[in-house]
Amino acid sequence: MKEREKVYSHIKKGDSEIYRAVSGEIDRQQEGLEMIPSESYASRAVLEAIGSVFENKYSEGYPKKRYYGGQKYTDIVEQIAIKRAKKLFRFEHANVQPYSGSPANFAALNAVCAPGDTIMGMDLRFGGHLTHGWKVSVTGKYFNSAQYTTDKNGFLDFNEIEKLAKKHKPKVIICGYTAYPRTIDFAKFAEIARGVGAYLLADIAHIAGLVAAGEHPSPAGFADIVTTTTHKTLRGPRAGMILCNGNPSDPLKPIKNPTKKDLPTLIDRSIFPGMQGGPHIHTIAGVAVALKEASTKEFKAYAKQVVKNAKKLADIFNNRGLRLSTGGTDNHLILMDVTPFGITGKEAEERLEQIAISLNKNAIPHDPNPPYNPSGIRLGTPCVTIRGMKEPEMDILGNAIADTLEDKKNIRKAKLAVKELCAKFPLYKGL
Ligand SMILES: Cc1ncc(COP(=O)(O)O)c(C=O)c1O
C-alpha cells in the first residue's frame, strides 16, 4: 500500500469524495510551485499534531483556569506553546489561542481601544492588511481608522507617518504588512508612537519566521503588542498569537485606568471571553511543535535561504528590466508591476498558473488599476526554499517567470522547467 493510502486509510474507506480531494491537493502541491508569500509547508510533525485527538477537547479559559474538566494534557500543551513563544520572540507574555491572524489583530485592538477610538495602519492598497483598519473590515468599522501609504517608490514614508500620527493622535499605530518587501524599522515606529502616546502594534504575520531566525530585526524592545499568524514563514498550523510584556493579573479583577502593565490581562480577556470560546488545542499543539522547529539551526538556515532566494529572484527580474516595487527586496517577497508586458496582475496570475506556479495578483503602491484587476503580482520564496531550492534554481525559476510574462509562446518551455524543478525537489516525499 502506498504511504498516502496508509496515512489516509480511514478517510479513503469512509469518505471517498473527500479522500479524492485530499489526494488531489497533495498532487497539486507536489506537482506545482507555490510562490504565494503567505504560504509555507508545515512539517509532517506539525500535521500530525493538528490531526491529533486534542481536536476532541473543549478547554475554555487558560491553563489551570479552565471552565471544563479533563485538562491535564491540554494544559501541558498550551503551557509548552506559551513558553516556546515567549522564548523565541523574547516577550514576557504570549497568548497562543487566537484562531488566526485576523482575530488576533481584532483582539489586540479590542484589548486597548473602545469602539470609535482612532487606530492607524497602512492602507490595504499599499501593503497593509484588511484588519489594519480597512473600511470593509470590522477594524475599520468599529474604530476610527486613519491610514498611511508609501512614497512613490513603495517605501515607508516616516515623515508622512509622523505627520498623520500627530494629526490623528491614534490610540494604536500598526506596523507590519501583507505586501511590503523591505525591512521594517520598528525603532522608528516606536519613536513616533511614543511621541503621540500611542501603543505600537507590530503585526509580524508575514515575517515571523524571519524574525524568529534573526533574518529580520525583532520588534522586541520596541512594540507594545505583537500579533502574528503561525502559518506563514513560521511554518506552523493556521493560527495566531499575541505577544506583549508583563504578567496577567487576577482575571476577575476589574481594571480601572489601564496602562501598559495591564496589557497581558487586557489581551487575555479580549481573546477569552471577549471574542473566542474554546481554544483549538489541536492547533496549539501544532503551534508548539512549529515553535520548537523554529528554534533549530535547520530553521535558521531555511530562513536565511528564503531571503537569499528572494534577493536572487529580484536580481534576475531587475536584470531582465522588470519593474519591482522599491526596486527589490529585503525579505521573502517581491512585488512586481507587470503592466510593462501589456498585461495586468490578473492575467499574469492566470498565465503563471499555466506553468504550475501559484502566486497572487496584487496592487502595487499608487496603483492606477482597481483591486480586482491590479497592476502587479506578489511572489515569495518560503515554499520553494522549504523544498530545498537555492540560487541556481532561482535562476531557472526567475527566467521561467519572466519568459512566461513576456510572451505566451514561452509557456511550454517554462512549464517544462517548473516540472523538472518539482521532480528534483520533492515535497512530502513518499506521500
Ligand atoms: C500582515 C497580516 N496580518 C494578518 C493576516 C491575517 O491572517 P489570517 O488570514 O490568518 O486571518 C494576514 C494574512 O494574510 C497578514 O498578511
Side-chain angles (χ1 to χ4, degrees), residues 313-331:
L313 273 183
D315 284 348
I316 291 161
F317 295 146
N318 277 328
N319 287 340
R320 296 210 34 180
L322 309 183
R323 244 185 3 223
L324 306 186
S325 174
T326 75
T329 182
D330 297 328
N331 57 27

Side-chain angles (χ1 to χ4, degrees), residues 38 100-103 105 129 131-132 176-178 203 205-206 229 231-232:
S38 50
S100 213
S102 303
N105 278 343
H129 190 255
T131 55
H132 297 176
Y177 313 100
T178 290
D203 175 353
H206 259 263
T229 55
H231 50 272
K232 302 190 205 289

Side-chain angles (χ1 to χ4, degrees), residues 155-183:
F155 285 94
L156 288 168
D157 180 347
F158 284 106
N159 287 334
E160 192 224 353
I161 294 167
E162 188 164 20
K163 234 192 269 166
L164 279 177
K166 283 185 174 153
K167 181 173 165 204
H168 295 286
K169 301 237 169 346
K171 196 133 185 217
V172 180
I173 294 178
I174 306 167
C175 62
Y177 313 100
T178 290
Y180 187 67
R182 294 296 180 176
T183 301

Side-chain angles (χ1 to χ4, degrees), residues 344-374:
T344 61
K346 186 163 174 276
E347 286 166 281
E349 181 188 303
E350 285 162 8
R351 215 182 263 189
L352 290 165
E353 185 104 43
Q354 289 184 51
I355 66 164
I357 290 180
S358 303
L359 42 66
N360 63 294
K361 60 178 178 288
N362 215 95
I364 52 165
H366 306 281
D367 202 328
N369 286 319
Y372 55 86
N373 196 13

Side-chain angles (χ1 to χ4, degrees), residues 14 21 29 62 66 111 191 216 268 326 330 341-342 358 370 408 429:
Q29 291 190 15
Y62 289 101
R66 308 278 190 194
E191 193 188 311
H216 186 289
D268 284 0
T326 75
D330 297 328
F341 295 113
S358 303
K408 266 199 233 172
K429 203 171 172 191

